Amino acid sequence: MGAAGTVGTTRQEGRTVATTTATAKKSTDSAAPRNKRRPARGGVGAELTKEQNAEQGFQASEALSANLQRVLVDLIELSLQGKQAHWNVVGTNFRDTHLQLDEIIEAAREFADTIAERMRALHALPDGRSDVVAETTTLPEIPQGEIATTEVVDLMTERLDDVATTCRDVHDDVDEEDPTSADILHAILERVEQLSWMVSAENRTPRR
């Protein structure tokens, strides 16, 4: 039978019966990941002299690097979820919500870049790869498909508050080792909490 299998015979109650023995390896496609990515290449850096490659100045500890990384992945995820909501929001007050989401995305992207570049200035390595972001962010997933404006308001308020919580969680430890990085967290907190207030107000009613 060629590659598909081999044919043999066996005796059953006086009869000769043809049998087939499969030789093809059983497929394991169902167990494979949906999108098997090729391993990363490169990333070693240029070959420089020892003096050229020396890291100068203050260097972040592993703890400081890890704390800034926590903020980074939440900001990246916030920008991605904001864009997902931006594309799929529908309903009353659509245009204002659509544009307000872009404000959130712009702030998240700008702050993510600031955090990542601060990490590099301290000789730490920011990791913004999609796999890492998905595995380590504190933000919950955002639903797929069209989302009503009122639901988007609640979803984005929750996520803005999650980013603020991460900043507050790491703040004291960051401030103890590097007050300059803590100043960046202050700026992020000020803007993120302002956006949370402005977004959440869309669904609020006046206090009586």
Side-chain angles (χ1 to χ4, degrees):
M1 293 184 65
T6 59
V7 177
T9 59
T10 186
R11 298 285 298 178
Q12 292 184 3
E13 298 181 353
R15 295 181 299 141
T16 300
V17 181
T19 61
T20 302
T21 304
T23 58
K25 189 176 180 180
K26 186 177 179 181
S27 171
T28 57
D29 288 348
S30 59
R34 258 188 327 184
N35 178 25
K36 188 170 182 181
R37 302 171 70 178
R38 294 188 299 274
R41 298 177 61 186
V44 190
E47 292 186 6
L48 305 176
T49 67
K50 188 174 181 180
E51 291 74 18
Q52 289 173 320
N53 233 347
E55 295 178 338
Q56 305 294 328
F58 177 79
Q59 297 183 36
S61 67
E62 288 186 12
L64 176 57
S65 177
N67 282 328
L68 294 177
Q69 175 70 21
R70 286 176 60 189
V71 177
L72 175 64
V73 295
D74 276 4
L75 288 167
I76 294 173
E77 182 67 13
L78 178 64
S79 70
L80 294 172
Q81 292 198 17
K83 209 60 180 175
Q84 177 72 9
H86 174 84
W87 293 325
N88 292 294
V89 64
V90 295
T92 305
N93 206 28
F94 159 79
R95 181 167 175 75
D96 286 345
T97 306
H98 185 73
L99 295 175
Q100 197 169 38
L101 287 166
D102 265 344
E103 291 183 35
I104 295 171
I105 296 159
E106 181 180 359
R109 287 175 174 172
E110 181 178 347
F111 285 132
D113 191 51
T114 300
I115 288 288
E117 292 191 351
R118 179 61 185 166
M119 292 176 71
R120 291 301 294 134
L122 302 182
H123 310 292
L125 297 173
D127 195 343
R129 293 175 296 170
S130 57
D131 311 53
V132 173
V133 172
E135 290 173 4
T136 58
T137 182
T138 66
L139 276 60
E141 290 184 0
I142 193 165
Q144 164 64 326
E146 292 185 340
I147 315 174
T149 50
T150 52
E151 185 179 1
V152 164
V153 165
D154 289 340
L155 289 171
M156 295 313 297
T157 299
E158 178 186 9
R159 282 145 182 78
L160 286 162
D161 290 344
D162 286 340
V163 173
T165 296
T166 299
C167 289
R168 290 187 178 279
D169 284 347
V170 305
H171 174 272
D172 288 353
D173 289 338
V174 170
D175 189 42
E176 185 175 346
E177 183 172 346
D178 181 31
T180 303
S181 293
D183 286 345
I184 296 174
L185 297 183
H186 297 159
I188 296 172
L189 274 168
E190 180 184 9
R191 181 59 172 147
V192 165
E193 290 178 341
Q194 180 192 46
L195 287 166
S196 175
W197 157 57
M198 296 180 75
V199 173
S200 64
E202 295 282 352
N203 283 354
R204 287 197 54 215
T205 55
R207 291 176 181 170
R208 301 296 181 187

